[in-house]
Amino acid sequence: MYIGFNMKRFLFCFQIFTISILGACDSNFDQCSHDLKYLSGGNKPVIAITGKDNSVKDSCQYLIDFNYWFKDNAVSRKGSLLIHNDAFYVRLKESQSGFVRYFDFTKKAHDAYEVEMLVDGKKYVIKIIVEEVVVKNNQQYHVFRFIDSFEFKNNRTDTIIIASLNKGILGSYFTYNRNGVNIMLMPEGELLDDMIDYSNVEKRNLN
């Protein structure tokens, strides 16, 4: 009777374990079924998803072009993007960092957070603010502001990147405030003009 009881308990635990694994796989599959936009060539944001990473089987992993301008290091590299736990994790090639939680879609408007990234042997801290979250047709779009992330005429500026968990990285531009006017530089990709008010923004060229 003791052995029979243990066997029943084992079968019950195994059944629960199997259900848990299948549930995790189903959740992972749902994330991978998202209709992410692939961008290549011109008119793409500073971080752009360029395709699915087919080298990793059964994974929500994608290929990206990554650009960021640290104060002492302008980084332009290929990398990977992983969808996991309501976020886009980013990993760069030739970087000592693993995947870092970069675009966090659990954050609400005005939330701030930091990301640590090891590049060329040096640790950098990237400061991010969720500028706003806009909703259309039950789809959320996050407007991320990367603080002090670009240099224009010897002045540090911010980078705005618009992204959606279901649609990917849509567009970007550099921005700074001059005499009370918000300046937009190098707009690329989709900026959701029908959803975001740009009436107080002045577009300028880099030259």
Side-chain angles (χ1 to χ4, degrees):
M1 291 179 64
Y2 181 76
I3 296 176
F5 174 78
N6 280 347
M7 180 61 68
K8 288 181 180 179
R9 185 174 181 180
F10 169 79
L11 290 174
F12 174 78
C13 293
F14 180 78
Q15 194 173 32
I16 295 298
F17 173 78
T18 304
I19 292 173
S20 300
I21 293 297
L22 288 176
C25 291
D26 286 344
S27 174
N28 194 43
F29 177 80
D30 287 342
Q31 287 183 327
C32 291
S33 67
H34 291 174
D35 184 24
L36 300 191
K37 290 183 176 294
Y38 301 157
L39 301 172
S40 60
N43 193 33
K44 63 182 181 181
V46 292
I47 301 177
I49 300 173
T50 58
K52 189 79 167 61
D53 189 351
N54 296 319
S55 67
V56 183
K57 186 178 179 181
D58 298 328
S59 172
C60 305
Q61 192 163 314
Y62 299 83
L63 304 173
I64 60 170
D65 288 339
F66 180 95
N67 296 279
Y68 198 99
W69 290 262
F70 298 104
K71 289 183 179 180
D72 61 349
N73 191 2
V75 177
S76 180
R77 295 185 184 173
K78 303 290 184 181
S80 299
L81 180 148
L82 177 69
I83 302 177
H84 183 63
N85 285 344
D86 294 325
F88 289 166
Y89 288 74
V90 168
R91 181 180 65 189
L92 303 185
K93 286 187 176 181
E94 302 172 1
S95 170
Q96 293 81 9
S97 291
F99 278 103
V100 296
R101 191 178 178 94
Y102 206 80
F103 295 95
D104 191 339
F105 296 101
T106 67
K107 301 298 183 182
K108 300 178 181 179
H110 312 303
D111 283 353
Y113 63 103
E114 295 182 348
V115 171
E116 291 187 359
M117 184 173 285
L118 192 62
V119 181
D120 298 332
K122 182 175 181 179
K123 184 175 74 174
Y124 294 93
V125 177
I126 299 172
K127 297 181 178 181
I128 306 166
I129 297 175
V130 177
E131 191 89 340
E132 61 178 312
V133 179
V134 295
V135 180
K136 183 178 182 181
N137 298 328
N138 296 321
Q139 175 66 56
Q140 284 192 347
Y141 299 87
H142 279 60
V143 181
F144 295 94
R145 178 182 287 267
F146 294 80
I147 306 300
D148 199 23
S149 54
F150 183 67
E151 187 162 323
F152 174 66
K153 295 184 177 179
N154 296 320
N155 294 313
R156 299 296 296 175
T157 72
D158 298 341
T159 305
I160 298 291
I161 300 180
I162 300 172
S164 161
L165 183 62
N166 296 317
K167 298 296 182 182
I169 301 170
L170 304 180
S172 69
Y173 61 90
F174 307 116
T175 184
Y176 66 97
N177 188 282
R178 183 173 182 179
N179 299 324
V181 178
N182 292 317
I183 308 298
M184 176 190 291
L185 300 170
M186 286 187 66
E188 300 287 358
E190 298 181 29
L191 300 182
L192 306 180
D193 298 280
D194 59 333
M195 300 167 58
I196 300 175
D197 183 12
Y198 292 107
S199 59
N200 64 337
V201 176
E202 179 181 325
K203 295 181 181 180
R204 293 187 182 179
N205 297 322
L206 283 179
N207 48 31

